[in-house]
Every structure is written in structure tokens, then in C-alpha cells.
Amino acid sequence: MTLLSALKLALVASIFLSVLALALRARADDVFYLFREWRLGLRAFIAMFVVVPAVAIFIAYAFELKPAVEIALIALAFSPVPPLLPKKQIKAGGAASYTTGLMVGASLASLVAAPVGIALAGHIFGIETHVSVAGIVKTLGMLIAVPLALGLLAQRLFGESARSFAPTLGHFAVLLLAACALVLLFVIAPALWAVIGNGTIVAIVAMILAGLAAGYLLAGPTPEDRAALSLAAAARHPGIAMGIAAVNFPDEKLAPAAILLFFILSAVLSMPLLHLLGKATAKPSA
């Protein structure tokens, strides 16, 4: 097994375990929360799959970016929320029902948004595009549906014992992800340097800030929902984005590096917001 294969397997394991930890704390009703509260769901959809993609397409169309960066922005724009994000959202004050519902709702919405959005982007840029819905379904099923089902089943079978195991599992998943990210960063460092330039960082930061602003403004009046949707709209699933880029632009080898750069900058920019939103939504002690 090569180093990259081992890293890919470890990343998949960390995401799987993170969602499982979330599911051990969630309720079955949380999964479809944003379908019941459809107004909140519609606002979330607009923030993640209308506003942010529109900004990404505008940036790619209007500025002289490197092709790898343009491809990365478009692929990221139509990818769902990363499964590791809900823990950040809950820390920022978001309710478990909203954050779990947001993850599931965004994943399902991406099954429609990705093919339609990528086709629209291809029409705008005059290129032929392809999106494997079956591939997206397989990835989301493995990384979201399966661990969610296992977590809810474990709750039903083992009750409080299963829920008490969630923090340990979540911490292990984060440590595994951090270790993988550090090694991966070292491995692809030359490719990262190759995509920087021509306004790359400015373009990526603009897309992230657009997501933060859209989430904050469209989530509604509840501070907890604003915190959760801001973080969700500013982040994307790097694995699915890389898959979209690989299928549609197989000759562009630097797109994964640009996607990883987005992932790094999104994490860095979300840290101060996470701290501020966490303080703003914290309930005062009695």
C-alpha cells in the first residue's frame, strides 16, 4: 500500500468515526429536521448552493486565475458540507438538531445541485462536463448514511452507554484527521506552491467570506442557526470536490492542491469566527 493510499484510507476512517460520534449524540428526529422546518431548509439551500456557487462562478469567469484554481472553485461550490463540520457548529452554539439536519439536508441537496450546477458552469465556460451521481451517492452513503444509521442503532440498543462513548470517539477522529492533514500537507507542498499566485488566495478567501456572510444573513434571527449555517456555507467536502474535479477535468493535476488550499484557508478563517460565535451564543450562567 502506498503512502497516499494509506492517507486516503485514514481520512475516510476519520470522517466515518466523526459522523458516528455525532450520530451517537443525535436523535432520530434530528436527521430530517430541515425538511420539517422547510423554511430554514430553503434558506440554507440558497446560502450553500445558490449564493456561494454564484460567487465562485463569477470569480472564475471575471478574473485571470490559473485553470486549476478555477476548477477547484467550481467543484467546491457544488460539494456538500464536510462531515467533520457539525462538531464545529455545535461548539459555536448550533443546536444538534439543526446541525445534524443541515449535514443530511446538504448531502441530499448536493445530489441535485452538483450535476445541475456543474452542467451550468460548463455551459458558461464552454466545456463539456460530467458528474457521476452514482459516485456521489456512494461516497455520501459510506461517509454519512452508514455511520448515522449505526449511531442511531447503537443508541437504541445500548442507550446512555452508547452516548457516553461519543466524546472519546470524536476526539480520536479529530486526532486522526490532524495527523493525516499534516502528512498530506508535507506530501503535496510543491503542488500547493504551484497553484498560489494570480490572485488565488484572494479568490479563495472571497468565496469563503461570501459563504460566511450568506449563512449569517439567510439563517434567520436565531443566533445559533446563524452560527451553524455561516460555518456550513463557508466549507465544502474536499473529497467529493476532488472527485468532481477528477471526473470532469482529468488532465488538470493541480486542482486537488487548490482544493486542499481552500480547505486550509477555510479552517483558518473559521477559527476566529468560531470563537466569536461561541461566545455570542453561549448562555449566561445563572
Side-chain angles (χ1 to χ4, degrees):
M1 180 182 292
T2 65
L3 176 60
L4 287 177
S5 297
L7 281 174
K8 182 178 179 180
L9 184 61
L11 283 170
V12 168
S14 69
I15 294 172
F16 185 96
L17 293 176
S18 180
V19 177
L20 179 59
L22 175 71
L24 290 174
R25 296 190 299 267
R27 299 173 301 172
D29 289 345
D30 295 342
V31 174
F32 296 104
Y33 175 77
L34 289 185
F35 290 91
R36 295 195 309 273
E37 301 293 334
W38 64 269
R39 291 181 178 84
L40 292 177
L42 180 60
R43 290 173 179 173
F45 178 86
I46 292 173
M48 289 185 289
F49 294 112
V50 177
V51 175
V52 174
V55 171
I57 291 174
F58 172 77
I59 292 172
Y61 187 78
F63 297 95
E64 292 293 331
L65 299 174
K66 295 180 179 179
V69 179
E70 294 180 347
I71 291 166
L73 292 181
I74 294 170
L76 284 160
F78 297 104
S79 300
V81 179
L84 292 175
L85 190 59
K87 185 176 179 180
K88 287 186 178 181
Q89 294 168 320
I90 293 173
K91 185 178 179 181
S97 56
Y98 186 89
T99 54
T100 303
L102 190 59
M103 181 182 68
V104 174
S107 299
L108 294 175
S110 69
L111 300 178
V112 176
V116 173
I118 295 296
L120 176 62
H123 177 74
I124 292 173
F125 293 103
I127 55 178
E128 185 178 355
T129 59
H130 305 278
V131 177
S132 172
V133 177
I136 296 176
V137 170
K138 181 180 178 180
T139 300
L140 294 178
M142 180 176 64
L143 296 180
I144 295 179
V146 172
L148 271 177
L150 288 176
L152 294 173
L153 178 62
Q155 279 197 61
R156 179 174 291 273
L157 294 176
F158 303 108
E160 192 59 37
S161 298
R163 284 187 287 272
S164 66
F165 189 65
T168 302
L169 196 62
H171 291 150
F172 177 77
V174 170
L175 290 175
L176 182 59
L177 175 69
C180 292
L182 287 174
V183 176
L184 185 61
L185 187 60
F186 176 78
V187 170
I188 71 165
L192 278 176
W193 286 113
V195 298
I196 293 176
N198 289 5
T200 293
I201 292 180
V202 173
I204 292 176
V205 168
M207 183 174 165
I208 294 169
L209 293 179
L212 292 172
Y216 188 83
L217 293 173
L218 290 172
T222 306
E224 292 81 3
D225 293 351
R226 285 181 170 179
L229 187 55
S230 293
L231 293 170
R236 288 297 187 267
H237 195 305
I240 293 179
M242 289 181 186
I244 291 173
V247 169
N248 288 279
F249 313 99
D251 296 330
E252 185 48 73
K253 304 302 183 184
L254 294 179
I259 290 170
L260 183 61
L261 180 61
F262 177 95
F263 186 68
I264 294 170
L265 290 175
S266 177
V268 170
L269 290 175
S270 71
M271 286 179 184
L273 180 70
L274 188 66
H275 177 70
L276 291 174
L277 291 175
K279 291 176 64 176
T281 58
K283 295 181 180 179
S285 57

